[in-house]
Amino acid sequence: MVTSKIRQRIIGKGRGAVFAPADFLDLGSRASVDQALSRLADQGVIRRLTRGLYDYPKQSTRFGMLSPSPDDVAKAIARTNNQILQVSPSMAANLFGLTTQVPSKPTYMTDGPTRTKTIGKQVIQFRKASPKTLVGAGQKTGAVFQALRYMGKDRIDDRVIAKLATALDGNDRNLLAKQSKHVPAWMHPVVQQIVAYA
């Protein structure tokens, strides 16, 4: 019973979804969830990435099973440990097209301990960060603050303002203005320019 419910939910999430037993505890006890996931992995429905972490792999006709996105893996790990997750400054800058450099190891700021998690060939880093660094975590606004950190106050020009402003909708801009009281003072005028950008 638990197995079929878990299977339905996984399929509903679609290929590429990454999850942990904690995501299914509303459907049954920890033991029954573990058993169901183990059964689904044995049947080849899902793939065990590492202890306590699974995915519903995307398939490619050319390459077979594809690796899960580091972002999805990091989010599943953070959910399991009830931790806040924020992209690193360099990842945020890349996300908004402010730099073409792709970090070699995806790095996330968190309120949990600093550690490295290896999933297959992927190495994902988690760095313990201060509450100020985690403002807006999990939202577009958080990534904006991180992108500004990456650029630094001396490298922020009209191009940077325009790129960040056009990536946000009205709600994001309102939220950015609200959350900006928790970030370093040098960001305040920059945030005002982003919010007022037309």
Side-chain angles (χ1 to χ4, degrees):
M1 188 67 198
V2 174
T3 307
S4 65
K5 279 186 185 165
I6 289 178
R7 185 190 178 121
Q8 271 177 323
R9 186 179 292 180
I10 289 167
I11 290 168
K13 283 188 180 296
R15 294 255 172 214
V18 180
F19 41 87
D23 294 328
F24 304 102
L25 292 180
D26 59 316
L27 299 177
S29 67
R30 179 65 198 244
S32 62
V33 167
D34 283 345
Q35 206 175 4
L37 290 172
S38 197
R39 202 172 292 145
L40 290 170
D42 291 344
Q43 291 167 6
V45 176
I46 60 174
R47 168 175 59 177
R48 183 182 280 110
L49 298 171
T50 184
R51 194 166 158 257
L53 208 61
Y54 301 83
D55 77 336
Y56 180 38
K58 280 187 175 162
Q59 303 275 5
S60 150
T61 43
R62 236 176 107 194
F63 304 109
M65 282 200 258
L66 303 176
S67 292
S69 105
D71 215 41
D72 291 339
V73 171
K75 283 176 184 163
I77 292 169
R79 274 197 316 274
T80 303
N81 299 311
N82 279 328
Q83 287 165 356
I84 296 170
L85 199 65
Q86 174 87 289
V87 291
S88 66
S90 57
M91 283 174 75
N94 179 269
L95 206 68
F96 290 114
L98 299 174
T99 174
T100 50
Q101 286 181 320
V102 181
S104 58
K105 286 182 190 146
T107 302
Y108 296 86
M109 317 316 274
T110 174
D111 57 344
T114 294
R115 62 196 173 128
T116 302
K117 196 94 172 147
T118 306
I119 310 287
K121 291 182 182 152
Q122 292 180 342
V123 178
I124 301 172
Q125 292 182 325
F126 295 90
R127 289 219 184 107
K128 187 167 178 61
S130 69
K132 265 195 168 154
T133 307
L134 298 171
V135 172
Q139 298 161 316
K140 251 191 190 166
T141 52
V144 168
F145 295 131
Q146 291 295 76
L148 292 176
R149 277 191 178 89
Y150 176 84
M151 297 308 289
K153 65 176 161 191
D154 301 329
R155 287 194 309 165
I156 289 167
D157 54 18
D158 294 344
R159 181 188 76 95
V160 173
I161 303 282
K163 281 225 173 196
L164 294 174
T166 51
L168 304 176
D169 63 20
N171 292 339
D172 293 329
R173 289 184 190 198
N174 291 338
L175 195 56
L176 193 72
K178 253 187 218 141
Q179 292 171 340
S180 68
K181 60 175 177 279
H182 304 293
V183 298
W186 69 264
M187 287 189 192
H188 296 174
V190 181
V191 168
Q192 279 164 3
Q193 285 180 67
I194 293 170
V195 172
Y197 188 87

